[in-house]
Amino acid sequence: MISNTRIYGAAIAFASGLYSLWSASMATRMTTSGWIMGLLGVVVLLHGAVLLTDYADRLGAASGPLMIAYSLVMLLNQALLGTGMMNGGAMGGSAMGMNGGSTVTAGMGWDAGMAVLAALMLVSGVIMARNGGSSTDGM
């Protein structure tokens, strides 16, 4: 029987992974941030799928820390985008257009939705780590 913790973790992974992929695909040009989020989206989706199978038992206590790591990468990416340290320009290029306006929207920009999903993933990872990867938690 799949635990409630694993179901919750999988739901958060699916939401975060799909949103990551969607967000990366909506950019008019791929940036470093877009590639990071696209790749991470695929990995998170796969992890979410594994959580709903018996293979999750093989991951054991590693699932929680993996979810925490994914969320920290997502949060760091959003923080860098929000502070302008990693802008939406292609591969960290200039974010100013010919008319002096911002072209950050051409790449990926800071996304509050992504930050919230990453925070939920962080909580999910902490819950999973606290439970030690048990397959039945009674949550």
Side-chain angles (χ1 to χ4, degrees), residues 10-101:
I12 295 296
F14 288 140
S16 297
L18 287 172
Y19 192 81
S20 248
L21 287 172
W22 174 81
S23 180
S25 73
M26 295 309 293
T28 56
R29 62 178 176 225
M30 282 304 279
T31 63
T32 304
S33 179
W35 284 109
I36 291 169
M37 294 313 293
L39 179 62
L40 191 59
V42 170
V43 171
V44 170
L45 276 174
L46 290 174
H47 188 188
V50 167
L51 287 174
L52 298 176
T53 69
D54 291 334
Y55 291 112
D57 293 333
R58 292 184 184 174
L59 283 176
S63 265
L66 283 171
M67 294 285 270
I68 291 169
Y70 305 151
S71 70
L72 293 176
V73 170
M74 288 179 179
L75 287 169
L76 177 62
N77 187 47
Q78 291 304 307
L80 292 174
L81 286 168
T83 61
M85 293 179 73
M86 181 186 294
N87 62 36
M91 294 301 200
S94 173
M96 297 305 286
M98 289 178 57
N99 63 359

